[in-house]
Amino acid sequence: MISVQNLSHKYAGNADYSVRKISFDIGKGEIFGFLGPSGAGKSTVQKILTGLLKKQEGHIWIEGTEIDLLNKDFFEKIGVSFELPNLYEKLTGYENLKYYAGLFSKKTFDPLQVLSWVGLENDAHKKASAYSKGMKQRLVFARAVISDPELLFLDEPLSGLDPATALSVKRVISDFKDRGKTIFLTTHNMFLADEICDNVAFLNEGQILAMDTPKKLKLKYGSYSVNVEYRKDKKNLTELFFLDKEEEKKRLKEVIDRYEIIIMHSREATLEEIFIKLAGRGLN
Amino acid sequence: MKPFFSQFMIDFIVARRNMFFIIVLSIALLYSMIVNFVIPSKTEAYSVNFYILDASVNEKYKQALMSSDYKAFTVSSLDSIKESMSKDKSALGLVLKDDGIEIVFQGYESLQQRNIIKSIFSVLYDTLNNQNSIAAYKTTVLKESAKKLPLNMKMIPVLLATDIIMLGFMFVAAMIFQEKKEGGLYAYRVSPGGTLNYILSKVIVNVMISVLFGVVFLFFTLGFKTNYFYFLSMIFLGAFLISLLGIFLAQFYSSLNEFIVVALIFNAVMALPVVSYFNPLIDIQILKIIPSYSLIYASDEIISSVKSSYTLNTLLNLFIQISIFFPATYFSVRKTLIRKVIL
């Protein structure tokens, strides 16, 4: 569905590249998670893929067509959810969806139906300006899916949502996957990625550090981790040790030798812990 | 058609909820009241009063003036002339002597006006004294079929052009800046809406606002006694052109604050033809290329109910300007607004 080869991008006025020679492939019907902290280059890649930013270096093929050659039909097939709410504030939630859907030539979902998917059916006729941040985020997501796109770009779709609403949104995403839609998910929420993505790529400082299925990444980078809770200076401390690293092995031995161990068990590392291990930095 | 209609509805609702229609309707009614009840049909400039010293020795001249169409009053002294003139700022003072005339001016008259007045009195004086009878003369008036508009009616073209140009320009720019600020433009860019629908929907909404203004304003000032076909054609094309100009310029700025200087300069330039309209002696050629010039003069011609050659030329010119400017706006908006992200 999407093939990216050696993609690089540098913003005017910046000395460094925001994205450096990244390559990845996304198959049809796949949820591909693009994971990384703020400023890693995730949104830049999404903007290039959606035609908002002009490609500078490298190649991108979408359904076999080079992105530079894509025409208006491409926009009939995609849906884009932005990280920050960008709505017509003077229009109601219903009007925002109805008239956006009208920009498409193909058949689209009923706005009220889509609003019900994200729990906004009772606020359909309120102006968007009266919506809370979370409601606006849901409306942006609803707008992205209203055209029943073949290719869905989601930038931090759960940002600012309460757990119940986040669950509704995740259900819609899963439903789209079940219907064979391809989803490009940009997020720094590793739990979301772990839960719904078929493949993930870790992006840090414009480069892909690792890319595979979440399960394989955990097997590859997280199988030798040991979680230890111990008592030191009358305080309980918890520490995670990756045993494939010599210095962490030594540190574990030191903890065992010197302190009272309360609990110790091997565990599967989270994607976040793997990211920290690979990038040397956290996600926030 | 469906994408255009959808984008049109977005712009229409945004304009309606921004009160644009209410604003122009209120202005149209306000302007109508001003034209009908505030601005007089004549100004003092058209009725000069004379204060003549009663002791003036040239009786023949005094009688001639007293029996003329002008209002002439006799007063007892030169001080009385000055006092009367201080109360009547459009008046002139005259002391008629055997060997000539003493003219008392207010002081604000230009040298040109003073010389014209002196010439008139000189010729009149000579004629009355049979010194040099003036040769028979014939006058030819250009636009002789044109009826002279009363001042309040003469304000209609100015107020009409002001609304179409200044408000139309600002409204369409405000719509673009609101979209940029709220981010709706970003969503539009990843839709199949396209550049043409984006431009046309805004232009048509803006044209509708101008037509609403025009119909209300003209109905309450001219009633049924004017050619609405010409007027509405002109408003349609004028508002279309100004909307394109507004979109073209607004695309390069990110906020109304940045744009305000451009808007002020634009409106100041558009106001220049008003000077020429009220003082035809100031007929600078370059003013004629400003769109407001042709709008004002064509409106004047339509109200005057004269031959419509200038109006038809204006409509044709507006059409040609739109034909040139539309592709320019289309390609620049496509490049600058639709396909470029402002970060």
Side-chain angles (χ1 to χ4, degrees):
Chain A
M1 185 80 178
I2 299 177
S3 181
V4 175
Q5 294 294 321
N6 294 319
L7 181 69
S8 296
H9 190 89
K10 184 156 74 170
Y11 287 106
N14 281 12
D16 296 327
Y17 278 90
S18 297
V19 175
R20 284 182 284 178
K21 289 191 175 297
I22 65 167
S23 302
F24 58 89
D25 293 295
I26 306 174
K28 187 165 171 54
E30 180 183 315
I31 301 182
F32 184 85
F34 218 49
L35 314 180
S38 297
K42 308 186 300 289
S43 295
T44 300
V45 175
Q46 174 165 316
K47 280 173 185 165
I48 296 170
L49 289 176
T50 53
L52 283 173
L53 269 183
K54 195 164 171 57
K55 182 188 61 128
Q56 293 172 344
E57 295 175 34
H59 295 280
I60 299 170
W61 293 272
I62 296 178
E63 289 188 318
T65 307
E66 182 89 39
I67 197 164
D68 302 328
L69 303 174
L70 290 169
N71 55 25
K72 202 173 161 183
D73 292 340
F74 170 64
F75 295 104
E76 287 279 350
K77 292 180 188 169
I78 68 167
V80 183
S81 172
F82 297 83
E83 182 179 7
L84 295 173
N86 49 3
L87 300 157
Y88 286 97
E89 305 256 337
K90 297 275 179 186
L91 270 59
T92 64
Y94 175 77
E95 288 165 343
N96 263 287
L97 293 194
K98 181 184 172 188
Y99 297 122
Y100 191 79
L103 298 174
F104 293 79
S105 305
K106 64 179 182 179
K107 197 171 182 305
T108 57
F109 288 120
D110 173 21
L112 286 175
Q113 183 189 3
V114 178
L115 285 169
S116 72
W117 292 347
V118 293
L120 287 175
E121 66 273 30
N122 294 329
D123 302 295
H125 301 292
K126 277 186 192 165
K127 279 188 193 172
S129 56
Y131 279 19
S132 68
K133 193 185 168 195
M135 290 163 81
K136 285 179 181 174
Q137 195 62 45
R138 279 183 274 164
L139 188 57
V140 168
F141 175 81
R143 187 181 60 194
V145 300
I146 194 158
S147 63
D148 193 16
E150 290 302 313
L151 181 53
L152 190 54
F153 293 91
L154 303 175
D155 194 349
E156 304 289 1
L158 303 191
S159 172
L161 302 189
D162 62 76
T165 316
L167 186 64
S168 305
V169 170
K170 276 190 280 189
R171 277 190 195 133
V172 177
I173 296 172
S174 298
D175 179 57
F176 265 70
K177 177 186 161 48
D178 294 343
R179 293 194 300 117
K181 312 292 184 181
T182 308
I183 299 163
F184 183 85
L185 174 72
T186 303
T187 185
H188 66 269
N189 183 338
M190 296 287 177
F191 297 106
L192 172 68
D194 196 1
E195 195 178 338
I196 66 172
C197 290
D198 299 303
N199 281 296
V200 294
F202 287 150
L203 192 71
N204 188 46
E205 294 178 353
Q207 287 182 302
I208 291 180
L209 302 175
M211 183 166 53
D212 216 323
T213 65
K215 191 175 177 181
K216 284 183 183 168
L217 282 173
K218 286 180 207 169
L219 283 172
K220 187 172 178 183
Y221 296 102
S223 56
Y224 298 108
S225 68
V226 176
N227 198 44
V228 181
E229 188 178 345
Y230 59 95
R231 195 160 182 81
K232 179 184 174 186
D233 302 332
K234 297 181 182 174
K235 284 181 188 168
N236 285 4
L237 300 172
T238 303
E239 213 168 324
L240 183 70
F241 300 94
F242 288 97
L243 301 185
D244 56 338
K245 286 189 174 177
E246 208 51 48
E247 66 273 25
E248 293 202 18
K249 266 188 192 170
K250 283 180 190 167
R251 169 85 183 125
L252 175 61
K253 187 169 184 305
E254 183 189 329
V255 168
I256 292 167
D257 292 344
R258 292 180 59 181
Y259 306 113
E260 176 194 350
I261 303 296
I262 301 168
I263 300 170
M264 182 166 76
H265 58 83
S266 64
R267 63 181 284 270
E268 186 181 56
T270 63
L271 287 180
E272 181 157 14
E273 287 161 353
I274 296 169
F275 183 88
I276 292 167
K277 182 179 175 182
L278 293 172
R281 64 185 281 204
L283 285 164
N284 296 307
Chain B
M1 202 61 194
K2 193 177 90 164
F4 167 75
F5 179 73
S6 294
Q7 186 57 33
F8 168 79
M9 283 308 296
I10 290 173
D11 289 329
F12 179 79
I13 293 170
V14 168
R16 187 161 57 84
R17 292 189 183 151
N18 277 334
M19 315 278 274
F20 288 174
F21 290 94
I22 301 291
I23 291 169
V24 291
L25 204 57
S26 306
I27 292 175
L29 293 172
L30 179 70
Y31 280 4
S32 304
M33 284 195 284
I34 289 171
V35 167
N36 288 323
F37 306 117
V38 178
I39 303 172
S41 57
K42 284 185 175 180
T43 62
E44 295 302 312
Y46 292 103
S47 58
V48 179
N49 297 330
F50 294 105
Y51 291 92
I52 307 167
L53 186 64
D54 199 29
S56 295
V57 291
N58 196 324
E59 261 319 301
K60 210 186 323 178
Y61 210 134
K62 188 162 74 177
Q63 289 308 319
L65 278 168
M66 297 294 282
S67 58
S68 73
D69 289 339
Y70 294 108
K71 284 183 185 169
F73 307 96
T74 54
V75 288
S76 58
S77 66
L78 194 58
D79 286 340
S80 299
I81 286 180
K82 291 175 184 173
E83 192 186 329
S84 301
M85 284 174 66
S86 69
K87 292 174 186 165
D88 182 356
K89 293 294 180 190
S90 64
L92 286 176
L94 296 171
V95 179
L96 309 171
K97 301 171 182 172
D98 262 343
D99 55 346
I101 304 169
E102 184 183 340
I103 305 171
V104 184
F105 288 111
Q106 292 277 357
Y108 59 75
E109 303 87 349
S110 66
L111 183 62
Q112 188 186 28
Q113 286 174 318
R114 288 182 191 182
N115 285 337
I116 290 169
I117 291 166
K118 280 194 273 187
S119 302
I120 292 167
F121 281 109
S122 176
V123 170
L124 187 60
Y125 187 86
D126 289 348
T127 306
L128 287 170
N129 287 299
N130 296 320
Q131 288 178 8
N132 278 314
S133 55
I134 198 161
Y137 57 85
K138 184 189 169 196
T139 57
T140 302
V141 180
L142 296 174
K143 289 191 178 181
E144 66 183 327
S145 56
K147 66 179 181 191
K148 193 167 181 61
L149 291 178
L151 182 72
N152 57 343
M153 292 294 117
K154 211 164 166 58
M155 283 303 292
I156 292 174
V158 174
L159 296 174
L160 187 70
T162 302
D163 183 87
I164 295 172
I165 291 170
M166 296 184 183
L167 287 183
F169 183 74
M170 289 308 291
F171 281 170
V172 80
M175 287 163 85
I176 287 181
F177 291 126
Q178 190 168 354
E179 261 184 348
K180 284 185 175 182
K181 186 182 168 194
E182 293 176 353
L185 186 59
Y186 288 79
Y188 188 80
R189 284 171 178 157
V190 291
S191 80
T195 310
L196 189 63
N197 291 327
Y198 180 83
I199 295 172
L200 272 182
S201 70
K202 283 176 178 47
V203 167
I204 298 299
V205 168
N206 214 33
V207 166
M208 281 174 64
I209 293 171
S210 292
V211 167
L212 172 72
F213 171 84
V215 168
V216 173
F217 180 50
L218 294 172
F219 180 77
F220 283 108
T221 50
L222 299 172
F224 295 106
K225 292 179 292 182
T226 194
N227 189 327
Y228 277 91
F229 174 75
Y230 280 152
F231 255 128
L232 293 182
S233 303
M234 195 183 68
I235 292 170
F236 181 91
L237 293 174
F240 202 110
L241 179 67
I242 292 302
S243 303
L244 288 178
L245 278 167
I247 293 171
F248 182 82
L249 290 173
Q251 66 179 311
F252 299 110
Y253 298 86
S254 56
S255 72
L256 203 53
N257 286 344
E258 287 181 21
F259 184 68
I260 202 77
V261 175
V262 178
L264 287 174
I265 293 169
F266 179 86
N267 285 333
V269 170
M270 289 293 158
L272 286 176
V274 176
V275 179
S276 165
Y277 179 63
F278 282 113
N279 192 345
L281 291 173
I282 305 171
D283 192 22
I284 305 165
Q285 284 300 312
I286 200 163
L287 293 181
K288 293 180 179 174
I289 64 168
I290 300 173
S292 53
Y293 184 97
S294 48
L295 288 178
I296 290 172
Y297 278 88
S299 302
D300 186 287
E301 192 179 79
I302 299 169
I303 297 171
S304 305
S305 308
V306 293
K307 285 181 287 182
S308 53
S309 58
Y310 188 80
T311 308
L312 290 174
N313 275 339
T314 297
L315 294 177
L316 184 65
N317 281 337
L318 285 170
F319 185 77
I320 291 168
Q321 287 175 58
I322 288 168
S323 305
I324 295 168
F325 218 73
F326 194 87
T329 305
Y330 174 85
F331 287 111
S332 62
V333 166
R334 183 181 156 85
K335 188 179 174 205
T336 310
L337 268 188
I338 303 296
R339 290 285 158 254
K340 183 183 170 191
V341 171
I342 299 163
L343 295 167

